[in-house]
Amino acid sequence: MIQKNTVLSVVDNSGVKRARCIHVYHGYRKRYAKLGDLILVSLLAVRRKEKTEKQDLKKGGVSKAIVLRTKSTKSFKSNNQLFFKENSVALLNSKSKFAGTRVFGVIPRLLRKTRFLRLLKMSGG
């Protein structure tokens, strides 16, 4: 579960390394974000300045993001559990399109039920 001030790694090729959650969308007093939820993030570390300046992704900037992986465990009725080693997100631009063109690592099947089906096309595996 991700809440305010959680530091997240960015797993797309938008040029940003790390981000910090500053707001969780969809709900009055919603405290935690789970897989597939939208959050508002502040950008902490940027890889390449030339690449990110075109997309207006600068250190200290604000952007929307979708949660792709969480450290907390997600349990299913079939006694399966899903968890990852890190908390990670993929960035969205102001028009709710993806800032990057690729997503690194695995993506859980739970995200098929969200409105961001393009994530599955952008992932490698």
Side-chain angles (χ1 to χ4, degrees), residues 52-107:
T52 57
E53 284 179 358
K54 296 176 187 174
Q55 300 176 355
D56 294 330
L57 298 174
K58 299 175 184 172
K59 182 178 174 183
V62 177
S63 176
K64 286 185 182 181
I66 182 169
V67 178
L68 298 182
R69 300 180 204 139
T70 59
K71 284 185 180 180
S72 64
T73 305
K74 168 75 174 164
S75 299
F76 298 99
K77 290 181 181 178
S78 61
N79 291 333
N80 292 336
Q81 292 182 342
L82 177 67
F83 59 94
F84 297 98
K85 291 183 179 180
E86 63 181 357
N87 295 321
S88 61
V89 295
L91 294 180
L92 303 172
N93 63 13
S94 59
K95 298 177 184 175
S96 294
K97 303 285 184 182
F98 289 101
T101 56
R102 290 179 52 201
V103 175
F104 305 112
V106 297
I107 295 177

Side-chain angles (χ1 to χ4, degrees), residues 2-12 14-23 39-47 57-66 87-92:
I2 294 169
Q3 60 185 353
K4 288 185 180 181
N5 290 327
T6 302
V7 177
L8 311 155
S9 64
V10 180
V11 292
D12 59 5
S14 61
V16 180
K17 287 184 193 177
R18 288 181 294 136
R20 173 176 281 136
C21 176
I22 57 176
H23 182 72
I39 59 174
L40 188 67
V41 295
S42 171
L43 308 178
L44 296 180
V46 178
R47 286 187 184 99
L57 298 174
K58 299 175 184 172
K59 182 178 174 183
V62 177
S63 176
K64 286 185 182 181
I66 182 169
N87 295 321
S88 61
V89 295
L91 294 180
L92 303 172

Side-chain angles (χ1 to χ4, degrees), residues 21-40:
C21 176
I22 57 176
H23 182 72
V24 179
Y25 283 117
H26 300 299
Y28 174 69
R29 291 190 180 176
K30 186 172 180 182
R31 184 169 181 174
Y32 301 110
K34 300 174 186 169
L35 289 172
D37 285 348
L38 285 177
I39 59 174
L40 188 67

